Amino acid sequence: DFYFTHVHPRHKLYYDIEAEGLTIDPEQQKYLKNKYKTRKIEVTKELTELVGHDLNVNSPKQVHVVLYNELKCPLRKDTGEDTLVALMNNAIKDEKRKRIISLILEGRRVRKTIGTYLDASADFDGKMRSAYRICGTETGRRSTAIMQPPIRPIKLGIAFQTLTKHGDTGADLRRMFIPDPGHLFVEVDLSQAEA
C-alpha cells in the first residue's frame, strides 16, 4: 500500500527533476574554486604555524594526537565536528587552542566544499544533476546521490540534498546555479508552509 500510494505516484516527478538538472554559471564556479582554494591555503598556513607542524585536518588520528596529546585538551571520544565544537565552547579557555580547533573545523569545511561541490563535474550538456532515489530510506523519504555507472559512464553531478544552506558557504554555492531563460528560483519559507 505504501509503495502504491506514496512512492509510485511520484516516479514521473522525480524522473523529470533528474532529467532537467540545473544550469551552472562557469565563471561563478571558477571564482568560487579560486576563493576556496585560497582560503584552504590560508587555513593550512595558520594552522601549521600554531601547531608547529603539518596537520591533515581530515585525519582523525592526526587530529587526536594534536588535540589530546600535544595540546593536552581534555580527552573526548572522537574528533568529530560536534565533539570539537563542544570541546571548544565548553572545556577550552585559552584562545590559542580555541583557534586551532576552529581552524581544524574550517579546514574540513573548506576541503569538503572544494572536493564535493566545486570540483564536481557537470553532466555532458553542462547541467549539474543529481540522482534521485524515491525509495531512498526506510521511512519513505527521498535521497539524492551523484550520478555514476550505470546511470552515467563516469561520476558526475552532486547530491543536491547534501548542499549546505548555512553561512557564507551555502550562499556561495547557491550563486553557482542560474535559472534557465524564462525561469527563476524561488525560496519557500517552510515556517509558513501550512498557511
Side-chain angles (χ1 to χ4, degrees), residues 7-152:
V7 177
H8 187 74
R10 290 169 178 80
H11 177 73
K12 175 136 176 41
L13 169 69
Y14 284 101
Y15 176 82
D16 290 345
I17 292 171
E18 189 175 291
E20 184 60 34
L22 292 173
T23 302
I24 292 288
D25 180 344
E27 290 302 314
Q28 186 68 18
Q29 186 179 28
K30 182 179 176 183
Y31 165 77
L32 290 173
K33 279 184 182 184
N34 289 333
K35 175 181 175 177
Y36 280 85
K37 287 180 180 179
T38 300
R39 184 63 188 142
K40 179 183 171 188
I41 292 167
E42 294 167 353
V43 168
T44 302
K45 182 177 185 253
E46 184 179 354
L47 190 57
T48 301
E49 289 171 359
L50 287 172
V51 173
H53 56 81
D54 289 340
L55 171 64
N56 177 357
V57 296
N58 286 334
S59 167
K61 185 176 181 180
Q62 286 185 29
V63 171
H64 185 280
V65 168
V66 166
L67 292 180
Y68 305 126
N69 295 352
E70 295 175 19
L71 298 175
K72 307 294 185 212
C73 293
L75 186 61
R76 298 294 187 258
K77 62 180 169 60
D78 60 33
T79 59
E81 182 176 358
D82 291 341
T83 302
L84 295 187
V85 169
L87 184 67
M88 183 174 64
N89 292 333
N90 301 323
I92 302 299
K93 303 298 180 211
D94 67 282
E95 292 304 314
K96 180 182 177 186
R97 292 191 297 174
K98 279 187 177 190
R99 183 66 182 153
I100 289 170
I101 295 171
S102 176
L103 288 168
I104 290 169
L105 293 169
E106 185 175 356
R108 288 175 180 175
R109 281 191 291 272
V110 168
R111 285 175 181 224
K112 179 168 177 62
T113 299
I114 294 168
T116 303
Y117 305 116
L118 297 176
D119 284 344
S121 299
D123 207 344
F124 300 110
D125 63 356
K127 287 196 168 188
M128 193 65 75
R129 290 192 170 79
S130 186
Y132 286 84
R133 298 175 179 159
I134 60 175
C135 299
T137 68
E138 291 179 12
T139 61
R141 291 177 60 202
R142 306 334 162 229
S143 69
T144 58
I146 62 172
M147 302 184 98
Q148 55 189 344
I151 299 170
R152 294 292 187 274

